[in-house]
Structures are given as structure tokens and as C-alpha cells.
Amino acid sequence: MSRHLGLYVDHEMTSPFAMAQHSAKVKALSKEISRRGVLLVATCLRVEVYGSATSLINIDRKVFSTFDYKQIEGTADITQRLAEIACGAHSQILGENYISDQLAKAVDLLDPNLPISQIGRLAIDIGRASRERQGFIASFNYDQIVRDIIADRFQNGELPDRLYMIGAGMLGRELIRSGLGERFRSTVVVTRNPKNLRRRLRPWTDIEVSLIRPAEMGAVREPRSIVVIATADVNDEYEAILRDALLRLEPCAIVDLSSIPLLSGEVARSLDYVTMYDEEFLRFVTNNNRRIAPKLSILCSDIKRSLNHKIILVP
């Protein structure tokens, strides 16, 4: 039986922005890597590969480039790390809930009969259960951070106009489902494919949103509207369209949750523009992590205990 290995680099080993840039490049290889029977975990803050020793031959040159990476070996240690990732123990926002679904999507790309696929699914189950059991849940998750940033812009009881959500992926949809738009007159999702998104939103009978294409945004100035950017799928053409639309719109504020910020330079400075790398955002992250960090060692011990009971089921 082939031994299992893991190779990884994350935001704790380099700068978060450098990690995000590298991860964006590696994501383009996800299908190719999964066809080799390798689990690729490429999020904004990590690039990690797991599989049999034979499946990982020469993959380090393709995936890690000039980054120094760490190695982990053995089913138990790999399952432990993946479970810790699944519950947000290695996230920049400790206890955040989106990483679990990201990991599940990565596992879904694999042949379900592969041992590494079964290891990944077990790790996700263990991590999610431990997270709930130990209450390892971020008090300042992405939706709460955005709420507080919005509240800071409307401190005197003013009624905001529209909430614009740029991006119809998992993060954008979950932010809307969290009720982020309740304070606004209306919620508008900006998407390049309204027809496809409309089909996805059919089950949302209790949430009203309007759908527009990027070029339709900014017909008039809306200084009492807020824009949230929740997409990483931006090419040069799309970036130019969004930049021009935002300059026309002139919203009260823009909160950019992209790992690689959409705007830069003079354009960013001309608007009230908050990214995940700005002090305002990072203050919430620091407060959250200070509150939840004491639970970290207990959480990891809980995962290890669960793993000791179930490891015999792992190939």
C-alpha cells in the first residue's frame, strides 16, 4: 500500500498577499492535478497537495514554484491537518465557516474511490463536528465584519440605499443569505450570467434580489449605497468594466473581499475602499482571533481524539 504525503504552504509561512497571488495561479491547474489523484487545496491563503507518494512525484515544482513548503506524512497526520483546516483552525479568521465548503469542493474533484478522497471526507466530517462541539465559531466572520463596516458608515440612523453584491459565487450567495441586505432598500447582485444565477436562486423564496450585468451598474451616482466585492474570477476586461462602473456609481463605501483587490492606485484612493488587507478590516480579525484562540488547543485535541476512534476506517 502506498504511503500518503502532504505538501503545503500557507499564510503563516509567507505574506497573505503573496499567498493569494500564488494560489490564484495554482487554481488554474486544479483539474489537471485532480486527474492525477491528488487533492489540491488552493484557497486565498494556502496551497496544499495530498495524495500517495507516487502521485506527488515532481508535483512540487509545478505547485510551489519558489516557495519553501512543509511536508506531512501518514494517514493520521494528514487527516488531522485537513480536519483542522475544515474547522477554521488554520484560517486567517479563526473559526470561519467558508473553508469547510471550499475543502469539500476540492475533494469532490477527485475519484471518490481514491483513498485520499475518503481521507478528505472523513477529515471534513471530523472537523465540522469538533467545530460545533467546541464552539469554535468566529464571532467576527465575513458577514459580521461587513455589517460592522457598513454600520460605521451610517452611524446617525441614516437609511442606506442599495446593497450591491459583485459576485454570485459561494461567498456572495452566503453573504446575501445571512441577511446582509436587510437594512437596505434593495439588494442587487452584479453578475455576468443573470440567467444561470436566477436558476440558482429559485429556492430563495424568502429573499428578494435584483440581478444586473456589470455594465448596467452606475447609471447614476448612489452616494448612500454600499458595494461588496465577493469574486475572484476577474479578468482584465471584467476588471475595466467594474472599475468604470464603480467610478460612475460613487458609492458610500466599497468592501472588497477578494484575495487580490480589484482596485488599486489612484482609483482606490478616490473611493472609500476597504480590502481584507486594510487596518479597518484587520482590526476585526484581530479581535475575533483574540477571543477564540484559547479554544484552539482544545479543538485540536478533540479532533485527535475523534481521529483515534475512527482511523481504522481510513484506507
Side-chain angles (χ1 to χ4, degrees), residues 159-203:
L159 292 177
D161 193 358
R162 295 183 224 262
L163 172 66
Y164 285 90
M165 184 67 64
I166 299 178
M170 179 188 70
L171 177 57
R173 295 197 304 273
E174 288 303 313
L175 287 171
I176 294 171
R177 285 181 67 87
S178 73
L180 189 63
E182 291 174 352
R183 186 175 178 182
F184 293 80
R185 178 167 62 85
S186 64
T187 297
V188 180
V189 179
V190 181
T191 174
R192 286 169 287 185
N193 195 335
K195 184 178 180 180
N196 183 49
L197 180 58
R198 194 169 286 110
R199 186 168 60 250
R200 287 185 178 184
L201 299 184
R202 279 175 187 163

mmCIF file of all heavy atoms in Angstrom, residues 159-203:
data_model
loop_
_atom_site.group_PDB
_atom_site.id
_atom_site.type_symbol
_atom_site.label_atom_id
_atom_site.label_comp_id
_atom_site.label_asym_id
_atom_site.label_seq_id
_atom_site.Cartn_x
_atom_site.Cartn_y
_atom_site.Cartn_z
ATOM 1 N N LEU A 159 -30.788 55.949 6.459
ATOM 2 C CA LEU A 159 -31.191 54.741 5.746
ATOM 3 C C LEU A 159 -30.336 54.582 4.497
ATOM 4 O O LEU A 159 -30.333 55.460 3.629
ATOM 5 C CB LEU A 159 -32.675 54.821 5.357
ATOM 6 C CG LEU A 159 -33.670 54.771 6.519
ATOM 7 C CD1 LEU A 159 -35.099 54.931 5.998
ATOM 8 C CD2 LEU A 159 -33.536 53.464 7.286
ATOM 9 N N PRO A 160 -29.598 53.481 4.394
ATOM 10 C CA PRO A 160 -28.802 53.259 3.185
ATOM 11 C C PRO A 160 -29.705 52.941 1.998
ATOM 12 O O PRO A 160 -30.859 52.533 2.171
ATOM 13 C CB PRO A 160 -27.918 52.069 3.551
ATOM 14 C CG PRO A 160 -28.640 51.367 4.645
ATOM 15 C CD PRO A 160 -29.407 52.415 5.390
ATOM 16 N N ASP A 161 -29.176 53.122 0.823
ATOM 17 C CA ASP A 161 -29.955 52.894 -0.395
ATOM 18 C C ASP A 161 -29.875 51.428 -0.812
ATOM 19 O O ASP A 161 -30.590 50.590 -0.301
ATOM 20 C CB ASP A 161 -29.454 53.822 -1.500
ATOM 21 C CG ASP A 161 -30.400 53.884 -2.689
ATOM 22 O OD1 ASP A 161 -31.427 53.185 -2.673
ATOM 23 O OD2 ASP A 161 -30.119 54.627 -3.635
ATOM 24 N N ARG A 162 -28.976 51.098 -1.727
ATOM 25 C CA ARG A 162 -28.885 49.724 -2.210
ATOM 26 C C ARG A 162 -27.611 49.046 -1.717
ATOM 27 O O ARG A 162 -26.598 49.687 -1.478
ATOM 28 C CB ARG A 162 -28.843 49.689 -3.743
ATOM 29 C CG ARG A 162 -30.066 50.166 -4.448
ATOM 30 C CD ARG A 162 -29.848 49.976 -5.954
ATOM 31 N NE ARG A 162 -30.273 51.112 -6.706
ATOM 32 C CZ ARG A 162 -31.456 51.200 -7.309
ATOM 33 N NH1 ARG A 162 -32.308 50.207 -7.223
ATOM 34 N NH2 ARG A 162 -31.781 52.290 -7.980
ATOM 35 N N LEU A 163 -27.711 47.718 -1.613
ATOM 36 C CA LEU A 163 -26.537 46.884 -1.410
ATOM 37 C C LEU A 163 -26.227 46.206 -2.740
ATOM 38 O O LEU A 163 -27.060 45.480 -3.290
ATOM 39 C CB LEU A 163 -26.789 45.816 -0.346
ATOM 40 C CG LEU A 163 -25.683 44.757 -0.198
ATOM 41 C CD1 LEU A 163 -24.398 45.390 0.330
ATOM 42 C CD2 LEU A 163 -26.123 43.612 0.698
ATOM 43 N N TYR A 164 -25.033 46.475 -3.266
ATOM 44 C CA TYR A 164 -24.599 45.825 -4.498
ATOM 45 C C TYR A 164 -23.630 44.700 -4.132
ATOM 46 O O TYR A 164 -22.614 44.937 -3.484
ATOM 47 C CB TYR A 164 -23.877 46.818 -5.411
ATOM 48 C CG TYR A 164 -24.798 47.786 -6.113
ATOM 49 C CD1 TYR A 164 -25.125 49.007 -5.531
ATOM 50 C CD2 TYR A 164 -25.321 47.495 -7.368
ATOM 51 C CE1 TYR A 164 -25.958 49.911 -6.171
ATOM 52 C CE2 TYR A 164 -26.149 48.388 -8.027
ATOM 53 C CZ TYR A 164 -26.465 49.595 -7.423
ATOM 54 O OH TYR A 164 -27.294 50.483 -8.071
ATOM 55 N N MET A 165 -23.955 43.482 -4.551
ATOM 56 C CA MET A 165 -23.077 42.346 -4.334
ATOM 57 C C MET A 165 -22.475 41.953 -5.682
ATOM 58 O O MET A 165 -23.180 41.492 -6.580
ATOM 59 C CB MET A 165 -23.859 41.160 -3.757
ATOM 60 C CG MET A 165 -22.991 39.958 -3.402
ATOM 61 S SD MET A 165 -21.864 40.289 -2.025
ATOM 62 C CE MET A 165 -23.045 40.564 -0.689
ATOM 63 N N ILE A 166 -21.176 42.178 -5.839
ATOM 64 C CA ILE A 166 -20.495 41.812 -7.074
ATOM 65 C C ILE A 166 -19.925 40.410 -6.891
ATOM 66 O O ILE A 166 -19.000 40.201 -6.102
ATOM 67 C CB ILE A 166 -19.372 42.796 -7.423
ATOM 68 C CG1 ILE A 166 -19.950 44.198 -7.634
ATOM 69 C CG2 ILE A 166 -18.619 42.340 -8.666
ATOM 70 C CD1 ILE A 166 -18.903 45.258 -7.932
ATOM 71 N N GLY A 167 -20.506 39.462 -7.588
ATOM 72 C CA GLY A 167 -20.076 38.074 -7.459
ATOM 73 C C GLY A 167 -21.218 37.192 -7.026
ATOM 74 O O GLY A 167 -21.927 37.497 -6.061
ATOM 75 N N ALA A 168 -21.412 36.093 -7.751
ATOM 76 C CA ALA A 168 -22.522 35.184 -7.463
ATOM 77 C C ALA A 168 -22.018 33.822 -7.009
ATOM 78 O O ALA A 168 -22.730 32.830 -7.076
ATOM 79 C CB ALA A 168 -23.402 35.030 -8.714
ATOM 80 N N GLY A 169 -20.758 33.765 -6.542
ATOM 81 C CA GLY A 169 -20.199 32.509 -6.060
ATOM 82 C C GLY A 169 -20.656 32.198 -4.651
ATOM 83 O O GLY A 169 -21.572 32.828 -4.107
ATOM 84 N N MET A 170 -19.990 31.234 -4.032
ATOM 85 C CA MET A 170 -20.397 30.765 -2.711
ATOM 86 C C MET A 170 -20.406 31.895 -1.683
ATOM 87 O O MET A 170 -21.373 32.071 -0.945
ATOM 88 C CB MET A 170 -19.461 29.657 -2.243
ATOM 89 C CG MET A 170 -19.784 29.116 -0.862
ATOM 90 S SD MET A 170 -18.518 27.985 -0.251
ATOM 91 C CE MET A 170 -17.153 29.119 0.042
ATOM 92 N N LEU A 171 -19.337 32.692 -1.636
ATOM 93 C CA LEU A 171 -19.247 33.748 -0.630
ATOM 94 C C LEU A 171 -20.343 34.785 -0.838
ATOM 95 O O LEU A 171 -21.028 35.174 0.116
ATOM 96 C CB LEU A 171 -17.873 34.415 -0.686
ATOM 97 C CG LEU A 171 -17.656 35.585 0.271
ATOM 98 C CD1 LEU A 171 -17.888 35.167 1.707
ATOM 99 C CD2 LEU A 171 -16.252 36.165 0.098
ATOM 100 N N GLY A 172 -20.540 35.242 -2.076
ATOM 101 C CA GLY A 172 -21.566 36.243 -2.338
ATOM 102 C C GLY A 172 -22.956 35.759 -1.972
ATOM 103 O O GLY A 172 -23.744 36.483 -1.342
ATOM 104 N N ARG A 173 -23.268 34.520 -2.341
ATOM 105 C CA ARG A 173 -24.593 33.974 -2.037
ATOM 106 C C ARG A 173 -24.796 33.825 -0.533
ATOM 107 O O ARG A 173 -25.870 34.125 -0.001
ATOM 108 C CB ARG A 173 -24.795 32.635 -2.743
ATOM 109 C CG ARG A 173 -24.808 32.731 -4.264
ATOM 110 C CD ARG A 173 -25.408 31.494 -4.905
ATOM 111 N NE ARG A 173 -24.752 30.263 -4.504
ATOM 112 C CZ ARG A 173 -23.685 29.747 -5.082
ATOM 113 N NH1 ARG A 173 -23.113 30.390 -6.100
ATOM 114 N NH2 ARG A 173 -23.154 28.607 -4.671
ATOM 115 N N GLU A 174 -23.759 33.361 0.163
ATOM 116 C CA GLU A 174 -23.898 33.178 1.607
ATOM 117 C C GLU A 174 -24.017 34.513 2.342
ATOM 118 O O GLU A 174 -24.729 34.621 3.344
ATOM 119 C CB GLU A 174 -22.709 32.378 2.147
ATOM 120 C CG GLU A 174 -22.735 30.914 1.760
ATOM 121 C CD GLU A 174 -24.007 30.219 2.204
ATOM 122 O OE1 GLU A 174 -24.415 30.396 3.367
ATOM 123 O OE2 GLU A 174 -24.612 29.494 1.386
ATOM 124 N N LEU A 175 -23.342 35.542 1.860
ATOM 125 C CA LEU A 175 -23.481 36.859 2.474
ATOM 126 C C LEU A 175 -24.916 37.367 2.342
ATOM 127 O O LEU A 175 -25.475 37.951 3.277
ATOM 128 C CB LEU A 175 -22.506 37.845 1.827
ATOM 129 C CG LEU A 175 -21.032 37.672 2.194
ATOM 130 C CD1 LEU A 175 -20.157 38.561 1.320
ATOM 131 C CD2 LEU A 175 -20.783 37.981 3.664
ATOM 132 N N ILE A 176 -25.508 37.137 1.189
ATOM 133 C CA ILE A 176 -26.900 37.553 0.996
ATOM 134 C C ILE A 176 -27.828 36.731 1.886
ATOM 135 O O ILE A 176 -28.734 37.266 2.540
ATOM 136 C CB ILE A 176 -27.297 37.422 -0.483
ATOM 137 C CG1 ILE A 176 -26.510 38.420 -1.337
ATOM 138 C CG2 ILE A 176 -28.798 37.661 -0.666
ATOM 139 C CD1 ILE A 176 -26.680 38.219 -2.821
ATOM 140 N N ARG A 177 -27.590 35.425 1.941
ATOM 141 C CA ARG A 177 -28.439 34.552 2.770
ATOM 142 C C ARG A 177 -28.333 34.917 4.249
ATOM 143 O O ARG A 177 -29.259 34.664 5.029
ATOM 144 C CB ARG A 177 -28.050 33.101 2.558
ATOM 145 C CG ARG A 177 -28.529 32.513 1.236
ATOM 146 C CD ARG A 177 -28.127 31.064 1.102
ATOM 147 N NE ARG A 177 -28.819 30.227 2.068
ATOM 148 C CZ ARG A 177 -30.015 29.687 1.863
ATOM 149 N NH1 ARG A 177 -30.661 29.902 0.730
ATOM 150 N NH2 ARG A 177 -30.582 28.936 2.768
ATOM 151 N N SER A 178 -27.212 35.513 4.662
ATOM 152 C CA SER A 178 -27.028 35.887 6.062
ATOM 153 C C SER A 178 -27.899 37.075 6.473
ATOM 154 O O SER A 178 -27.950 37.434 7.647
ATOM 155 C CB SER A 178 -25.563 36.223 6.324
ATOM 156 O OG SER A 178 -25.220 37.477 5.751
ATOM 157 N N GLY A 179 -28.576 37.692 5.490
ATOM 158 C CA GLY A 179 -29.414 38.848 5.790
ATOM 159 C C GLY A 179 -28.680 40.165 5.721
ATOM 160 O O GLY A 179 -29.166 41.188 6.242
ATOM 161 N N LEU A 180 -27.540 40.180 5.056
ATOM 162 C CA LEU A 180 -26.729 41.387 4.972
ATOM 163 C C LEU A 180 -27.492 42.552 4.353
ATOM 164 O O LEU A 180 -27.260 43.713 4.702
ATOM 165 C CB LEU A 180 -25.464 41.087 4.148
ATOM 166 C CG LEU A 180 -24.380 42.156 4.119
ATOM 167 C CD1 LEU A 180 -23.809 42.376 5.516
ATOM 168 C CD2 LEU A 180 -23.259 41.743 3.164
ATOM 169 N N GLY A 181 -28.427 42.263 3.455
ATOM 170 C CA GLY A 181 -29.146 43.325 2.771
ATOM 171 C C GLY A 181 -30.396 43.822 3.461
ATOM 172 O O GLY A 181 -31.102 44.688 2.923
ATOM 173 N N GLU A 182 -30.699 43.316 4.650
ATOM 174 C CA GLU A 182 -31.958 43.655 5.311
ATOM 175 C C GLU A 182 -32.098 45.145 5.601
ATOM 176 O O GLU A 182 -33.200 45.688 5.596
ATOM 177 C CB GLU A 182 -32.087 42.856 6.613
ATOM 178 C CG GLU A 182 -32.307 41.363 6.389
ATOM 179 C CD GLU A 182 -32.288 40.578 7.693
ATOM 180 O OE1 GLU A 182 -31.950 41.193 8.746
ATOM 181 O OE2 GLU A 182 -32.579 39.367 7.668
ATOM 182 N N ARG A 183 -30.996 45.816 5.869
ATOM 183 C CA ARG A 183 -31.047 47.234 6.226
ATOM 184 C C ARG A 183 -31.241 48.123 5.001
ATOM 185 O O ARG A 183 -31.581 49.292 5.126
ATOM 186 C CB ARG A 183 -29.754 47.610 6.948
ATOM 187 C CG ARG A 183 -29.736 49.014 7.490
ATOM 188 C CD ARG A 183 -28.475 49.283 8.296
ATOM 189 N NE ARG A 183 -28.442 50.661 8.768
ATOM 190 C CZ ARG A 183 -27.442 51.185 9.471
ATOM 191 N NH1 ARG A 183 -26.406 50.433 9.784
ATOM 192 N NH2 ARG A 183 -27.478 52.444 9.855
ATOM 193 N N PHE A 184 -31.053 47.575 3.816
ATOM 194 C CA PHE A 184 -31.054 48.362 2.585
ATOM 195 C C PHE A 184 -32.433 48.362 1.908
ATOM 196 O O PHE A 184 -33.248 47.467 2.123
ATOM 197 C CB PHE A 184 -30.008 47.804 1.604
ATOM 198 C CG PHE A 184 -28.591 47.982 2.061
ATOM 199 C CD1 PHE A 184 -28.026 47.108 2.992
ATOM 200 C CD2 PHE A 184 -27.819 49.032 1.583
ATOM 201 C CE1 PHE A 184 -26.717 47.272 3.417
ATOM 202 C CE2 PHE A 184 -26.506 49.197 2.004
ATOM 203 C CZ PHE A 184 -25.952 48.321 2.923
ATOM 204 N N ARG A 185 -32.624 49.384 1.089
ATOM 205 C CA ARG A 185 -33.868 49.473 0.331
ATOM 206 C C ARG A 185 -34.014 48.307 -0.621
ATOM 207 O O ARG A 185 -35.102 47.793 -0.837
ATOM 208 C CB ARG A 185 -33.907 50.800 -0.445
ATOM 209 C CG ARG A 185 -35.135 50.993 -1.305
ATOM 210 C CD ARG A 185 -35.239 52.426 -1.778
ATOM 211 N NE ARG A 185 -34.110 52.809 -2.612
ATOM 212 C CZ ARG A 185 -34.050 52.585 -3.936
ATOM 213 N NH1 ARG A 185 -35.037 51.945 -4.550
ATOM 214 N NH2 ARG A 185 -33.015 52.991 -4.645
ATOM 215 N N SER A 186 -32.909 47.853 -1.179
ATOM 216 C CA SER A 186 -32.931 46.698 -2.070
ATOM 217 C C SER A 186 -31.535 46.117 -2.181
ATOM 218 O O SER A 186 -30.543 46.777 -1.838
ATOM 219 C CB SER A 186 -33.459 47.075 -3.454
ATOM 220 O OG SER A 186 -32.590 48.013 -4.081
ATOM 221 N N THR A 187 -31.464 44.874 -2.648
ATOM 222 C CA THR A 187 -30.194 44.193 -2.866
ATOM 223 C C THR A 187 -30.062 43.865 -4.348
ATOM 224 O O THR A 187 -30.991 43.336 -4.961
ATOM 225 C CB THR A 187 -30.121 42.893 -2.037
ATOM 226 O OG1 THR A 187 -30.175 43.215 -0.646
ATOM 227 C CG2 THR A 187 -28.833 42.144 -2.321
ATOM 228 N N VAL A 188 -28.912 44.189 -4.891
ATOM 229 C CA VAL A 188 -28.656 43.963 -6.312
ATOM 230 C C VAL A 188 -27.422 43.083 -6.450
ATOM 231 O O VAL A 188 -26.376 43.384 -5.876
ATOM 232 C CB VAL A 188 -28.418 45.301 -7.056
ATOM 233 C CG1 VAL A 188 -28.144 45.034 -8.536
ATOM 234 C CG2 VAL A 188 -29.603 46.240 -6.883
ATOM 235 N N VAL A 189 -27.558 41.995 -7.181
ATOM 236 C CA VAL A 189 -26.412 41.128 -7.460
ATOM 237 C C VAL A 189 -25.906 41.444 -8.861
ATOM 238 O O VAL A 189 -26.673 41.429 -9.828
ATOM 239 C CB VAL A 189 -26.786 39.638 -7.361
ATOM 240 C CG1 VAL A 189 -25.571 38.767 -7.680
ATOM 241 C CG2 VAL A 189 -27.320 39.312 -5.977
ATOM 242 N N VAL A 190 -24.623 41.749 -8.946
ATOM 243 C CA VAL A 190 -23.994 42.066 -10.227
ATOM 244 C C VAL A 190 -23.321 40.790 -10.732
ATOM 245 O O VAL A 190 -22.414 40.257 -10.093
ATOM 246 C CB VAL A 190 -22.954 43.200 -10.070
ATOM 247 C CG1 VAL A 190 -22.326 43.536 -11.412
ATOM 248 C CG2 VAL A 190 -23.604 44.429 -9.429
ATOM 249 N N THR A 191 -23.767 40.302 -11.874
ATOM 250 C CA THR A 191 -23.263 39.043 -12.393
ATOM 251 C C THR A 191 -23.185 39.072 -13.911
ATOM 252 O O THR A 191 -23.995 39.729 -14.568
ATOM 253 C CB THR A 191 -24.155 37.864 -11.946
ATOM 254 O OG1 THR A 191 -23.718 36.659 -12.582
ATOM 255 C CG2 THR A 191 -25.610 38.105 -12.310
ATOM 256 N N ARG A 192 -22.229 38.343 -14.457
ATOM 257 C CA ARG A 192 -22.105 38.253 -15.916
ATOM 258 C C ARG A 192 -23.083 37.250 -16.511
ATOM 259 O O ARG A 192 -23.262 37.220 -17.721
ATOM 260 C CB ARG A 192 -20.665 37.866 -16.295
ATOM 261 C CG ARG A 192 -19.660 38.981 -16.122
ATOM 262 C CD ARG A 192 -18.238 38.473 -16.249
ATOM 263 N NE ARG A 192 -17.841 37.705 -15.075
ATOM 264 C CZ ARG A 192 -16.608 37.220 -14.884
ATOM 265 N NH1 ARG A 192 -15.673 37.437 -15.795
ATOM 266 N NH2 ARG A 192 -16.302 36.540 -13.803
ATOM 267 N N ASN A 193 -23.709 36.457 -15.659
ATOM 268 C CA ASN A 193 -24.621 35.425 -16.152
ATOM 269 C C ASN A 193 -25.909 35.418 -15.335
ATOM 270 O O ASN A 193 -26.134 34.523 -14.511
ATOM 271 C CB ASN A 193 -23.947 34.051 -16.090
ATOM 272 C CG ASN A 193 -24.671 33.008 -16.909
ATOM 273 O OD1 ASN A 193 -25.885 33.122 -17.154
ATOM 274 N ND2 ASN A 193 -23.961 31.978 -17.333
ATOM 275 N N PRO A 194 -26.787 36.424 -15.546
ATOM 276 C CA PRO A 194 -28.022 36.508 -14.757
ATOM 277 C C PRO A 194 -28.902 35.272 -14.892
ATOM 278 O O PRO A 194 -29.532 34.842 -13.914
ATOM 279 C CB PRO A 194 -28.722 37.756 -15.332
ATOM 280 C CG PRO A 194 -27.626 38.548 -15.959
ATOM 281 C CD PRO A 194 -26.641 37.559 -16.477
ATOM 282 N N LYS A 195 -28.956 34.680 -16.089
ATOM 283 C CA LYS A 195 -29.820 33.515 -16.305
ATOM 284 C C LYS A 195 -29.400 32.348 -15.423
ATOM 285 O O LYS A 195 -30.231 31.700 -14.774
ATOM 286 C CB LYS A 195 -29.774 33.107 -17.777
ATOM 287 C CG LYS A 195 -30.709 31.954 -18.121
ATOM 288 C CD LYS A 195 -30.652 31.639 -19.609
ATOM 289 C CE LYS A 195 -31.588 30.481 -19.948
ATOM 290 N NZ LYS A 195 -31.544 30.152 -21.400
ATOM 291 N N ASN A 196 -28.100 32.094 -15.361
ATOM 292 C CA ASN A 196 -27.589 30.997 -14.550
ATOM 293 C C ASN A 196 -27.829 31.257 -13.060
ATOM 294 O O ASN A 196 -28.239 30.355 -12.318
ATOM 295 C CB ASN A 196 -26.096 30.811 -14.819
ATOM 296 C CG ASN A 196 -25.510 29.638 -14.065
ATOM 297 O OD1 ASN A 196 -26.061 28.543 -14.081
ATOM 298 N ND2 ASN A 196 -24.392 29.863 -13.395
ATOM 299 N N LEU A 197 -27.609 32.497 -12.634
ATOM 300 C CA LEU A 197 -27.811 32.824 -11.221
ATOM 301 C C LEU A 197 -29.280 32.764 -10.851
ATOM 302 O O LEU A 197 -29.636 32.313 -9.754
ATOM 303 C CB LEU A 197 -27.239 34.205 -10.913
ATOM 304 C CG LEU A 197 -27.381 34.662 -9.456
ATOM 305 C CD1 LEU A 197 -26.727 33.684 -8.502
ATOM 306 C CD2 LEU A 197 -26.790 36.053 -9.279
ATOM 307 N N ARG A 198 -30.154 33.214 -11.742
ATOM 308 C CA ARG A 198 -31.591 33.169 -11.456
ATOM 309 C C ARG A 198 -32.035 31.741 -11.156
ATOM 310 O O ARG A 198 -32.864 31.504 -10.275
ATOM 311 C CB ARG A 198 -32.361 33.752 -12.645
ATOM 312 C CG ARG A 198 -33.822 34.076 -12.332
ATOM 313 C CD ARG A 198 -34.455 34.877 -13.450
ATOM 314 N NE ARG A 198 -34.000 36.256 -13.470
ATOM 315 C CZ ARG A 198 -33.213 36.768 -14.416
ATOM 316 N NH1 ARG A 198 -32.806 36.018 -15.417
ATOM 317 N NH2 ARG A 198 -32.837 38.036 -14.354
ATOM 318 N N ARG A 199 -31.465 30.788 -11.871
ATOM 319 C CA ARG A 199 -31.797 29.384 -11.638
ATOM 320 C C ARG A 199 -31.309 28.938 -10.258
ATOM 321 O O ARG A 199 -32.015 28.221 -9.537
ATOM 322 C CB ARG A 199 -31.163 28.527 -12.731
ATOM 323 C CG ARG A 199 -31.546 27.057 -12.684
ATOM 324 C CD ARG A 199 -31.125 26.326 -13.941
ATOM 325 N NE ARG A 199 -29.678 26.392 -14.153
ATOM 326 C CZ ARG A 199 -29.101 27.091 -15.125
ATOM 327 N NH1 ARG A 199 -29.848 27.784 -15.981
ATOM 328 N NH2 ARG A 199 -27.787 27.105 -15.258
ATOM 329 N N ARG A 200 -30.138 29.391 -9.873
ATOM 330 C CA ARG A 200 -29.606 29.027 -8.558
ATOM 331 C C ARG A 200 -30.424 29.620 -7.414
ATOM 332 O O ARG A 200 -30.486 29.061 -6.318
ATOM 333 C CB ARG A 200 -28.165 29.523 -8.421
ATOM 334 C CG ARG A 200 -27.141 28.751 -9.232
ATOM 335 C CD ARG A 200 -25.768 29.283 -8.908
ATOM 336 N NE ARG A 200 -24.708 28.582 -9.601
ATOM 337 C CZ ARG A 200 -23.418 28.811 -9.433
ATOM 338 N NH1 ARG A 200 -23.033 29.749 -8.576
ATOM 339 N NH2 ARG A 200 -22.517 28.131 -10.097
ATOM 340 N N LEU A 201 -31.010 30.785 -7.665
ATOM 341 C CA LEU A 201 -31.724 31.496 -6.602
ATOM 342 C C LEU A 201 -33.187 31.090 -6.460
ATOM 343 O O LEU A 201 -33.875 31.596 -5.571
ATOM 344 C CB LEU A 201 -31.646 33.014 -6.849
ATOM 345 C CG LEU A 201 -30.250 33.640 -6.866
ATOM 346 C CD1 LEU A 201 -30.346 35.146 -7.028
ATOM 347 C CD2 LEU A 201 -29.477 33.289 -5.605
ATOM 348 N N ARG A 202 -33.657 30.201 -7.306
ATOM 349 C CA ARG A 202 -35.070 29.814 -7.245
ATOM 350 C C ARG A 202 -35.515 29.312 -5.870
ATOM 351 O O ARG A 202 -36.624 29.608 -5.432
ATOM 352 C CB ARG A 202 -35.348 28.740 -8.305
ATOM 353 C CG ARG A 202 -35.551 29.330 -9.700
ATOM 354 C CD ARG A 202 -35.691 28.245 -10.733
ATOM 355 N NE ARG A 202 -35.717 28.803 -12.087
ATOM 356 C CZ ARG A 202 -35.503 28.101 -13.183
ATOM 357 N NH1 ARG A 202 -35.273 26.790 -13.098
ATOM 358 N NH2 ARG A 202 -35.534 28.682 -14.362
ATOM 359 N N PRO A 203 -34.659 28.549 -5.156
ATOM 360 C CA PRO A 203 -35.094 28.101 -3.817
ATOM 361 C C PRO A 203 -35.206 29.229 -2.794
ATOM 362 O O PRO A 203 -35.782 29.033 -1.721
ATOM 363 C CB PRO A 203 -33.996 27.102 -3.413
ATOM 364 C CG PRO A 203 -33.322 26.712 -4.685
ATOM 365 C CD PRO A 203 -33.391 27.928 -5.551
#
